[in-house]
Amino acid sequence: MRKIPYFFTALLFCAITAKAAIEVRNFASAQQEQDYQSLTQELRCPQCQNNNIADSNATIAVDMREKVYELLSQGQSKQQVVDYMVQRYGNFVTYNPPLTPATMLLWAVPVCLVLFGGILVLRRKPKKQPQAKQSAVQINDENLTQAEQQRLQQLLKDKE
């Protein structure tokens, strides 16, 4: 009875290794194979974000690897394959996108926001600190009526 969970665990590990597939490709030359390996390492998977298409098992990465192999088999150069992928999937598929107005904007906006925030912080007027009390009681006699002044004098005498 205790051996059944171990059996199913071993069976699970066998199933996982059976899922892993090895791609076998026949290349016309060693240079073509080397180009294929370098391109699959250089191109980014659109679905996996930061994985290259060599490491990704996403359907789109498998399709991209197949297309890279097909284009190289047709005799196209590495640059032509990269241009095809950029045309099809955008600049995101390369790890080093070209400098365009959009990429300059992506770099410039955060820098400008940080500078603008720094200027705002430096130009902000500090709040005035409350002044220490010079005496226990400060009186503005001009606004008090005669009765209030007499009452105030009486309170001050009683306090002493």
Side-chain angles (χ1 to χ4, degrees):
M1 213 45 186
R2 290 182 163 228
K3 293 183 180 182
I4 291 176
Y6 295 120
F7 173 73
F8 283 117
T9 304
L11 189 63
L12 178 67
F13 284 125
C14 291
I16 289 172
T17 57
K19 176 75 174 151
I22 298 174
E23 291 181 3
V24 178
R25 305 212 186 268
N26 295 323
F27 295 97
S29 67
Q31 180 62 39
Q32 195 178 51
E33 183 176 2
Q34 196 174 27
D35 289 346
Y36 174 81
Q37 296 298 331
S38 68
L39 280 170
T40 57
Q41 293 291 325
E42 292 172 11
L43 294 173
R44 186 188 325 220
C45 176
Q47 183 177 349
C48 303
Q49 301 294 320
N50 283 328
N51 281 352
N52 56 35
I53 62 173
D55 295 336
S56 176
N57 286 328
T59 306
I60 193 165
V62 173
D63 291 343
M64 288 174 74
R65 285 193 301 264
E66 185 63 36
K67 192 63 176 178
V68 167
Y69 175 72
E70 179 184 321
L71 292 173
L72 286 174
S73 296
Q74 292 173 0
Q76 293 191 13
S77 68
K78 284 176 63 174
Q79 188 58 46
Q80 289 172 324
V81 173
V82 170
D83 291 342
Y84 173 83
M85 292 296 178
V86 167
Q87 180 184 10
R88 180 137 190 200
Y89 299 105
N91 286 326
F92 179 78
V93 297
T94 60
Y95 281 108
N96 295 319
L99 189 61
T100 63
T103 55
M104 286 190 299
L105 191 63
L106 286 174
W107 284 98
V109 167
V111 171
C112 290
L113 288 175
V114 167
L115 290 174
F116 181 71
I119 290 170
L120 281 178
V121 168
L122 293 175
R123 295 197 69 181
R124 195 180 85 189
K125 292 181 181 177
K127 293 180 181 178
K128 292 184 179 181
Q129 299 290 333
Q131 293 179 353
K133 293 183 180 179
Q134 294 175 354
S135 64
V137 178
Q138 290 185 353
I139 303 168
N140 189 356
D141 291 336
E142 298 170 1
N143 296 335
L144 298 178
T145 63
Q146 185 67 24
E148 290 172 337
Q149 285 181 359
Q150 289 176 356
R151 173 84 175 130
L152 180 60
Q153 293 300 324
Q154 183 63 32
L155 287 173
L156 289 175
K157 285 180 185 176
D158 291 343
K159 187 175 182 180
E160 294 175 356

